[in-house]
Amino acid sequence: TRKNLLEYDEVMDEQRKRIYSFRHNILRGARCKEIVLGMIDNQIHAAVQRFTDANYGVESFAQWVSQRLGAELEAGDFRGSNFDEAARVARDTALEQAESLISESIDENLPDDVEATEWNWQAVAQWANTRWGLKLKDRDLKRIGRDGLHDHLVGLAREAIDKVDLDAARAFLADEWPYRQIAGWAQLKFGTPVDPEALAGRSAEELEEVLRQRARAMYTQKEVEFPVRVGLARFMAEHAGAAAARYDREGLVRWANQRLDAALDIEEVRSKFRADMYQILMDLSRSYFPNDQIAEELEQHLDAAYGLPGHDRNGAGPDRGAVDKLAEWCLERLGSTVPGDELAAVTRDEARKRLLHAVDDHFRPEMREMERILVLQILDGSWKDHLYSMDHLRSSIGLRGYAQIDPKVEYKREGMKIFEEMWQGVADKVTDLVFRMEQSDVGFLGSLWQADRMQTQHADATGSGIQAQQQAAIDASKQTGDHKAEPIRNRGQKVGRNDPCPCGSGRKYKQCCLRNAG
């Protein structure tokens, strides 16, 4: 039993390691921006591969036409066909399947080996009406009779199939259909308009590069916009239940001057409406937010100090003079003090990671906190749902043994399949929400404001603060006489089950008072 349990738990153990290592990496300060951008790149790659597949158009055609005609069509039947040929094949296949279904319905409800008085004409009529939108009555079918019923229903089915308009499916077989789908997906996913004609004729790699550039541009726009949303949600909230019940323009101006390094005058914006303030703050945030120049300068300083990526300067270590210049640059451009001794003692990757954190702290603290909260919340929720799915799978996987299939092998295969689906779902949800931070979501923006404030105004949680509070609570309880209640203890000798009963009956305790007490 233990061996069987361990074999089943190996699957969950591997999944736990991946989940908790990923989560622990975030809690230890991993840069969530790189994680989110990696998810976006993976989503773009998967979408381009799906839409540019050679069978995507015919599969879309087969699926859509199958729903309209009520038939089961295979995509392979339409490969290499134009619309007219594909429509003809689809109608012929649907009619063949209809003839077979009509025969099955007649044999089921009007069997030959049963008296005619027991035939269920009404079931046949209802089935045909539901299938093809007819208005048949059971008495009409009785007048036709069983012998001519098949041909009659086949004729009605042919008329219903011929009336179905399939012209909308013409686009599925067009050459530009994959590019239209990619453009629509990008519009829905990232909120960026893409012209399908600009994508036509490009290879899969070129399509991925175009979408990646559009997604990066929209992500940069969100980085510029998000601090403005947070500031407006704090000082100019439109909802009565928000933290700020009225417009606090003075507080907003003070925050903007400090956060965006601006020089706003309260008198100039005192009469401005919320929409006007949004435009003003967006201009300030756009001019304040760093462009690619910051990243280029950082990489140049890192190359000068540590050498190019993958090189160790022939084992000579970092250039101390360049390291000091890097520390000075960090203080001047980022307002962050990073001692040169610490930079000289770490590798290039570690220094780059630390300085990128300094860039986030200086330019995008709100966006960084949002990314961290978003990834952790979606990961935790998806992991909980996955645990329920694995429990259900484990409780039912034993039935596979009746089909001569090893349940443990199937559990491993199915478990890893739904685990990968969970990872894809996490990436899909994260990338959706990053580009859909609505202005009306005041609660989430307010929580980010409180989290940012708590980073600078936190209580002493390392020793004296908590100890002083605990000691004060103890002293207060002694003064008020509120002493801790003593637990109830049985200090008498315990009577054994086979000992003589204390009541003096002469019987054993388990056969006397213990039984009566039970």
Side-chain angles (χ1 to χ4, degrees):
T1 301
R2 290 178 179 175
K3 180 181 179 181
N4 188 60
L5 178 64
L6 289 176
E7 290 178 350
Y8 274 102
D9 196 55
E10 284 179 356
V11 180
M12 289 301 302
D13 184 58
E14 181 65 25
Q15 297 176 5
R16 290 190 196 100
K17 290 178 180 178
R18 289 182 59 182
I19 286 290
Y20 288 115
S21 61
F22 180 81
R23 194 175 189 277
H24 186 64
N25 188 33
I26 296 176
L27 294 176
R28 287 177 60 90
R31 196 167 184 242
C32 290
K33 178 179 179 179
E34 297 178 352
I35 296 175
V36 173
L37 292 179
M39 292 179 177
I40 293 174
D41 293 343
N42 293 334
Q43 292 279 302
I44 291 174
H45 176 74
V48 170
Q49 294 298 320
R50 181 171 69 254
F51 293 132
T52 57
D53 186 84
N55 297 325
Y56 178 72
V58 292
E59 289 177 354
S60 302
F61 179 87
Q63 184 177 3
W64 189 87
V65 173
S66 297
Q67 295 177 354
R68 297 299 302 271
L69 297 181
E72 297 181 2
L73 305 177
E74 298 293 335
D77 298 337
F78 311 107
R79 190 176 294 112
S81 302
N82 57 33
F83 172 73
D84 295 333
E85 296 175 352
R88 179 180 54 80
V89 171
R91 296 183 192 276
D92 293 343
T93 304
L95 183 60
E96 292 177 2
Q97 295 182 7
E99 294 178 358
S100 177
L101 292 175
I102 290 172
S103 299
E104 293 177 1
S105 178
I106 293 176
D107 293 339
E108 180 181 356
N109 297 288
L110 311 176
D112 291 332
D113 55 351
V114 176
E115 295 292 334
T117 56
E118 299 181 6
W119 287 350
N120 193 349
W121 294 93
Q122 185 176 2
V124 177
Q126 290 179 352
W127 172 81
N129 293 338
T130 304
R131 187 79 182 182
W132 294 291
L134 305 176
K135 296 181 180 180
L136 297 175
K137 303 290 184 180
D138 55 343
R139 58 178 178 270
D140 299 333
L141 301 183
K142 290 180 181 179
R143 284 196 294 266
I144 297 172
R146 188 185 188 282
D147 295 337
L149 183 60
H150 180 272
D151 294 339
H152 178 73
L153 292 180
V154 169
L156 295 177
R158 180 183 292 106
E159 294 178 1
I161 292 174
D162 292 338
K163 289 180 181 179
V164 177
D165 186 11
L166 302 180
D167 193 64
R170 187 184 301 272
F172 299 142
L173 301 179
D175 294 337
E176 65 273 9
W177 172 247
Y179 306 107
R180 291 173 55 187
Q181 288 295 99
I182 293 175
W185 176 83
Q187 172 72 33
L188 181 64
K189 188 75 174 180
F190 309 123
T192 176
V194 180
D195 186 8
E197 296 181 358
L199 303 178
R202 295 178 180 267
S203 63
E205 292 77 10
E206 293 174 344
L207 292 174
E208 291 183 21
E209 183 61 27
V210 171
L211 295 182
R212 191 178 297 112
Q213 292 177 1
R214 297 293 183 93
R216 292 291 193 278
M218 288 301 300
Y219 193 84
T220 302
Q221 176 66 18
K222 287 295 180 181
E223 290 180 314
V224 173
E225 182 183 11
F226 198 70
V228 176
R229 299 284 191 190
V230 175
L232 290 176
R234 172 62 180 86
F235 296 103
M236 300 187 73
E238 292 181 328
H239 299 272
R246 62 182 180 84
Y247 284 5
D248 184 7
R249 291 183 176 84
E250 295 181 358
L252 181 61
V253 168
R254 288 194 299 268
W255 171 82
N257 290 337
Q258 180 182 4
R259 173 66 179 84
L260 304 177
D261 195 18
L264 280 178
D265 187 0
I266 183 59
E267 299 300 331
E268 296 179 359
V269 299
R270 190 177 297 277
S271 60
K272 299 292 185 180
F273 293 102
R274 194 179 193 275
D276 300 329
M277 291 299 302
Y278 171 77
Q279 293 298 331
I280 294 174
L281 294 177
M282 279 297 296
D283 294 337
L284 294 174
S285 180
R286 194 174 293 109
S287 61
Y288 172 76
F289 195 80
N291 49 23
D292 296 336
Q293 182 180 0
I294 289 288
E296 293 176 358
E297 292 179 3
L298 175 58
E299 294 298 333
Q300 291 176 0
H301 283 285
L302 289 174
D303 292 342
Y306 299 91
L308 297 177
H311 298 77
D312 58 354
R313 298 176 56 87
N314 297 325
D319 186 348
R320 185 51 191 265
V323 168
D324 293 337
K325 291 182 179 180
L326 177 59
E328 294 175 0
W329 175 86
C330 185
L331 179 61
E332 177 183 355
R333 297 300 302 271
L334 307 179
S336 178
T337 303
V338 181
D341 295 337
E342 296 183 6
L343 292 177
V346 298
T347 62
R348 186 186 194 278
D349 292 338
E350 294 173 349
R352 183 178 183 273
K353 179 180 178 181
R354 179 167 181 176
L355 295 177
L356 286 177
H357 280 294
V359 172
D360 289 344
D361 292 340
H362 186 70
F363 290 105
R364 53 191 305 277
E366 300 89 357
M367 192 74 175
R368 179 200 59 191
E369 188 65 21
M370 182 273 290
E371 293 164 346
R372 181 174 180 272
I373 293 175
L374 191 63
V375 173
L376 287 177
Q377 286 183 349
I378 293 179
L379 180 66
D380 292 347
S382 301
W383 175 242
K384 292 177 184 177
D385 295 338
H386 177 72
L387 292 178
Y388 285 118
S389 300
M390 293 297 292
D391 288 341
H392 289 302
L393 176 64
R394 184 169 180 174
S395 62
S396 61
I397 200 66
L399 299 176
R400 304 286 180 94
Y402 290 103
Q404 303 299 319
I405 299 176
D406 190 351
K408 287 178 287 188
V409 175
E410 286 295 297
Y411 179 73
K412 293 179 181 179
R413 186 178 64 84
E414 294 289 340
M416 293 307 299
K417 178 181 178 181
I418 62 176
F419 182 70
E420 294 300 329
E421 292 176 354
M422 183 211 71
W423 271 117
Q424 296 175 3
V426 169
D428 189 48
K429 293 176 184 177
V430 170
T431 52
D432 277 346
L433 292 178
V434 163
F435 292 96
R436 286 174 173 78
M437 284 300 162
E438 299 295 337
Q439 182 177 359
S440 58
D441 194 3
V442 180
F444 183 73
L445 298 180
S447 65
L448 287 179
W449 176 269
Q450 295 297 332
D452 183 63
R453 297 289 293 176
M454 288 173 63
Q455 290 180 0
T456 57
Q457 298 179 1
H458 57 83
D460 182 9
T462 58
S464 60
I466 292 179
Q467 293 177 359
Q469 294 176 7
Q470 293 175 346
Q471 187 62 38
I474 293 174
D475 296 340
S477 64
K478 290 181 178 179
Q479 294 176 2
T480 57
D482 186 13
H483 298 289
K484 184 177 180 180
E486 289 291 334
I488 299 175
R489 295 184 175 89
N490 185 8
R491 303 184 184 279
Q493 184 177 2
K494 183 177 180 180
V495 181
R497 291 173 51 83
N498 294 315
D499 294 341
C501 187
C503 69
S505 63
R507 292 182 294 177
K508 293 183 179 180
Y509 177 59
K510 65 181 180 181
Q511 297 175 348
C512 186
C513 292
L514 180 61
R515 177 179 295 179
N516 295 334

